[in-house]
């Protein structure tokens, strides 16, 4: 039943045979509500099998030379690039995002992460400390079995951002994609195996938060990296305490984008559109609080509105579509509630906020989860739409008078994932960014996440970093070895 065949977990280099002992759930294509596939959720037996095979895989993989691991990972990245179109199509079916994004960002950025860490695999090293005669050296060793838990907005990218450093450092990984979007992570499992990753080194468990919880509780799993919401991050940290898990949390945000009066306005408008409407606004680092200096607000809004109205909302599989479907009807209802709250609390709705009316030839999208890109102005800091993460295409435009004021207001949130500043004044740009309580910042651009740069949050937006050399710290442990070259100096007779 569905567009794709029934899916099972990928363990020890193979898909599990179907079994009546597992709970079966279905996923759907968000744009039309059609059944996408049936999923057999991993049960306790499957989780035990995944851990057992990860242990075996780890013993082989961790003993291989970094260069050898790197070579295999590069082959996997190559396969991803070769299959970009078919993987992008699957990603669109799972998420409802426009295929132009999946082809140009989702799949290539997954490949890029694997290439980057494949390159680093051969240069992982420790240090040497000379103590005169004796010395100390350090070894950077893998942690063991790591679990990755993914969100639904960038399924393959998230799986790759976690798998690439984990595997490059010699760990095994058990990955649990979001229950809503499991298909490309399963494909990644197949691709790793095809590229030569030993069986058990990368397993994919299909299922919901119960499967995630089992991974967090498991004694043989040493590390958890989750991309998800703040409440899930808190729950995982609390649950993981019992087994002292090493933890990376990539959580939500409500980030500020500050546009000063000397900003290049067209670029600032482009960035505001990208920071709110890319992937229908379902991006953790989005700059959803757009602070615009009062003297340029009118000009900014004119440009913004004319470009927002030009965005093409529609068939996610059409390359010319800019805005696809939200992940589900349930999520659509949540976003619509925020739009209603925005109006009730006094923000001015300038455009969007409605479910599109589909012509007869596009009637199939009536069962989808589409909402028009939405812009509110005259927002104030206390409004619910300005304080809470909506995770949909809803932009709040706020006005400010001076630098000191906007810094304070931008930081007045429990989140701290990202921040952006637009100004031509180089001194002000660096001064303001230095004050931002956020882990990932941009000057005169927004939402660019090169693999070379650490990515992660301050405050409630997370703990630890993904990407870059910083990720190596989170997927290895350091062993110090003292080497005595003389006699043991002992005070005892
Ligand atoms: P979610 O927190 O509901 O679920 C994320 C994953 O965690 C899912 O796989 C889910 O099954 C699992 N999970 C939930 N509770 C769990 C628990 N107690 N124990 C173990 N596993 C558990 O998030 P979502 O709705 O899938 O994604 C949207 C959220 O993710 C947003 O808040 C968004 O900002 C955030 N996000 C953050 C980043 C980042 O890099 N910082 C990137 C993408 C999305």
């Amino acid at each position: 039943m569905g567009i794709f065949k029934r899916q099972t977990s990928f363990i020890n280099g193979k898909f599990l045979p179907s079994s009546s002992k597992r709970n079966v759930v279905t996923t759907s294509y968000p744009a039309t509500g059609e059944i996408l596939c049936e999923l057999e959720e991993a049960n306790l037996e499957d989780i035990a099998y995944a851990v057992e095979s990860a242990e075996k895989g780890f013993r082989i993989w961790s003993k291989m030379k970094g260069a050898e691991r790197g070579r295999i990972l590069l082959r996997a990245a190559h396969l991803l690039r070769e299959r970009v179109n078919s993987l992008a199509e699957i990603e669109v079916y799972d998420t409802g995002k426009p295929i132009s994004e999946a082809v140009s960002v989702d799949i290539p950025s997954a490949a890029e992460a694997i290439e980057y860490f494949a390159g680093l695999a051969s240069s992982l090293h420790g240090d040497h400390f000379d103590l005169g005669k004796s010395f100390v050296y350090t070894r950077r060793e893998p942690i063991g079995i790591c679990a990755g838990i993914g969100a639904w907005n960038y399924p393959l990218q998230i799986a790759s951002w976690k798998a690439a450093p984990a595997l490059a450092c010699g760990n095994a990984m058990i990955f649990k994609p979001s229950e809503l979007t499991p298909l490309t992570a399963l494909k990644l499992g197949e691709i790793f195996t095809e590229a030569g990753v030993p069986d058990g080194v990368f397993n994919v468990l299909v299922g919901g938060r119960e499967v995630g919880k089992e991974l967090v509780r498991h004694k043989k799993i040493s590390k958890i990296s989750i991309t998800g919401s703040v409440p899930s991050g808190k729950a995982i940290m609390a649950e993981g305490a019992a087994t002292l898990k090493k933890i990376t949390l990539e959580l939500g945000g409500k980030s500020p984008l500050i546009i000063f009066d000397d900003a290049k306005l067209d670029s600032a408008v482009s960035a505001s559109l990208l920071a709110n409407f890319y992937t229908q606004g379902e991006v953790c680092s989005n700059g959803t609080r757009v602070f615009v200096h009062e003297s340029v607000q009118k000009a900014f809004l004119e440009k913004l509105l004319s470009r927002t109205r030009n965005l093409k909302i529609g068939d996610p599989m059409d390359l010319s579509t800019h805005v696809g479907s939200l992940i589900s009807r349930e999520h659509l209802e949540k976003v619509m509630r925020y739009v209603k709250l925005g109006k009730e609390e006094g923000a001015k709705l300038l455009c969007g906020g409605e479910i599109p009316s589909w012509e007869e030839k596009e009637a199939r999208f009536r069962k989808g989860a589409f909402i028009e890109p939405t812009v509110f102005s005259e927002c104030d800091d206390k409004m619910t739409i300005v304080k809470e993460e909506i995770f949909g295409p809803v932009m709040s435009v706020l006005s400010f008078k001076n630098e000191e004021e906007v810094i304070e207001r931008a930081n007045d949130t429990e989140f701290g994932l990202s921040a952006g500043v637009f100004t031509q004044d180089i001194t002000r740009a660096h001064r303001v960014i230095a004050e931002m309580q956020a882990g990932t910042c941009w000057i005169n651009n927004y939402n660019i996440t090169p693999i070379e740069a650490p990515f992660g949050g301050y405050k409630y937006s997370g703990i630890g970093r993904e990407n870059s050399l910083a990720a190596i710290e989170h997927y290895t442990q350091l062993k110090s070895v003292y080497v005595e070259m003389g006699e043991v100096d002992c005070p005892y007779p």
Side-chain angles (χ1 to χ4, degrees):
M1 185 170 78
I3 299 169
F4 295 95
K5 65 178 194 317
R6 186 184 272 216
Q7 304 285 317
T8 55
S9 298
F10 183 86
I11 303 177
N12 205 32
K14 286 169 211 64
F15 287 101
L16 293 178
S18 194
S19 159
S20 58
K21 287 200 227 146
R22 296 192 200 102
N23 188 35
V24 178
V25 293
T26 55
T27 59
S28 53
Y29 177 32
T32 61
E34 286 164 270
I35 299 284
L36 198 54
C37 65
E38 292 175 327
L39 301 173
E40 286 185 21
E41 293 189 304
N43 58 24
L44 289 178
E45 219 174 285
D46 301 333
I47 296 170
Y49 179 42
V51 172
E52 186 196 316
S53 77
E55 275 183 305
K56 284 193 196 139
F58 176 71
R59 277 199 285 276
I60 300 166
W61 186 242
S62 59
K63 292 283 177 277
M64 283 165 70
K65 287 199 300 187
E68 225 173 323
R69 290 198 297 266
R71 247 191 329 266
I72 292 172
L73 291 175
L74 271 186
R75 273 205 292 273
H78 181 70
L79 291 172
L80 281 175
R81 288 200 186 276
E82 250 180 26
R83 295 174 196 173
V84 58
N85 289 328
S86 62
L87 288 166
E89 188 175 292
I90 297 172
E91 205 70 313
V92 173
Y93 271 128
D94 251 355
T95 61
K97 66 172 65 193
I99 194 148
S100 58
E101 294 185 11
V103 165
S104 63
V105 172
D106 291 69
I107 316 303
S109 71
E112 229 168 76
I114 297 171
E115 283 155 2
Y116 177 83
F117 287 103
L120 285 182
S122 59
S123 56
L124 300 175
H125 63 276
D127 286 315
H128 171 269
F129 304 97
D130 190 4
L131 305 173
K133 253 194 186 161
S134 305
F135 61 95
V136 165
Y137 66 93
T138 60
R139 288 169 50 82
R140 195 160 274 289
E141 298 182 345
I143 298 171
I145 306 177
C146 304
I149 299 179
W152 44 257
N153 59 340
Y154 280 80
L156 183 66
Q157 186 194 70
I158 292 171
S160 305
W161 280 15
K162 296 187 193 307
L167 267 52
C169 293
N171 300 286
M173 172 162 268
I174 299 175
F175 187 78
K176 190 202 83 65
S178 164
E179 49 275 42
L180 301 176
T181 56
L183 296 177
T184 47
L186 289 166
K187 285 279 169 209
L188 183 64
E190 270 185 307
I191 284 177
F192 276 142
T193 300
E194 196 178 330
V197 171
D199 291 349
V201 172
F202 185 73
N203 303 296
V204 183
L205 292 182
V206 177
R209 70 177 53 198
E210 290 311 317
V211 175
K213 280 184 181 172
E214 288 300 329
L215 296 176
V216 176
R217 283 188 204 120
H218 206 292
K219 278 187 184 159
K220 290 190 172 171
I221 295 177
S222 310
K223 184 199 165 75
I224 297 278
S225 172
I226 182 201
T227 297
S229 63
V230 173
S232 302
K234 287 182 181 174
I236 284 173
M237 201 161 168
E239 186 98 54
T243 47
L244 279 183
K245 288 278 183 297
K246 293 171 175 49
I247 284 190
T248 301
L249 303 176
E250 289 291 349
L251 308 178
K254 189 75 195 178
S255 302
L257 169 54
I258 304 173
I259 297 163
F260 282 97
D261 47 359
D262 63 343
K264 282 189 181 165
L265 224 46
D266 288 320
S267 289
V269 169
S270 295
S272 305
L273 294 170
L274 287 168
N276 282 274
F277 302 142
Y278 207 72
T279 313
Q280 307 77 239
E282 297 164 326
V283 180
C284 52
S285 50
N286 268 357
T288 45
R289 292 183 295 139
V290 182
F291 291 93
V292 185
H293 191 270
E294 56 178 9
S295 67
V296 291
Q297 182 150 124
K298 189 165 173 287
F300 172 85
L301 285 175
E302 268 170 27
K303 286 173 186 283
L304 179 77
L305 289 181
S306 92
R307 288 179 64 186
T308 303
R309 290 192 180 110
N310 276 336
L311 294 180
K312 186 176 164 202
I313 181 165
D315 184 353
M317 291 294 179
D318 182 339
L319 267 172
S320 66
T321 292
H322 299 119
V323 182
S325 168
L326 295 180
I327 187 71
S328 64
R329 297 284 283 205
E330 198 189 356
H331 189 50
L332 172 67
E333 277 167 28
K334 181 182 151 195
V335 175
M336 293 301 284
R337 274 199 301 277
Y338 276 111
V339 171
K340 186 162 170 276
L341 265 176
K343 291 191 258 186
E344 282 168 8
E345 291 180 9
K348 185 172 175 192
L349 180 67
L350 295 182
C351 71
E354 300 286 337
I355 292 172
S357 48
W358 299 103
E359 288 176 21
E360 214 37 52
K361 67 177 183 343
E362 292 182 316
R364 66 190 192 283
F365 298 130
R366 288 181 190 147
K367 290 206 174 127
F370 294 84
I371 174 174
E372 294 166 354
T374 305
V375 178
F376 280 107
S377 70
E378 297 177 26
C379 297
D380 75 48
D381 301 347
K382 296 209 165 48
M383 290 175 178
T384 313
I385 56 165
V386 177
K387 289 169 78 127
E388 295 183 10
E389 183 183 45
I390 301 174
F391 223 56
V394 182
M395 182 190 313
S396 297
V397 179
L398 300 117
S399 173
F400 73 94
K401 286 187 170 51
N402 65 57
E403 183 179 315
E404 208 176 298
E405 167 214 337
V406 78
I407 289 173
E408 197 182 319
R409 291 171 60 198
N411 285 332
D412 186 18
T413 166
E414 62 188 23
F415 296 108
L417 190 54
S418 310
V421 172
F422 269 79
T423 174
Q424 288 303 294
D425 178 342
I426 188 172
T427 322
R428 173 158 65 190
H430 294 293
R431 190 171 60 226
V432 172
I433 281 295
E435 291 295 329
M436 289 296 106
Q437 295 163 2
T440 311
C441 295
W442 296 277
I443 294 174
N444 293 333
N445 209 331
Y446 204 87
N447 263 353
I448 309 292
T449 52
I451 192 71
E452 295 83 355
F455 183 83
Y458 282 15
K459 302 199 279 191
Y460 282 12
S461 289
I463 294 177
R465 292 292 176 270
E466 293 201 301
N467 300 346
S468 79
L469 292 173
I472 300 295
E473 298 282 337
H474 297 290
Y475 283 100
T476 53
Q477 47 195 350
L478 210 52
K479 178 179 280 173
S480 292
V481 183
Y482 177 98
V483 182
E484 181 57 67
M485 300 293 283
E487 297 305 321
V488 173
D489 183 10
C490 178
Y492 303 137

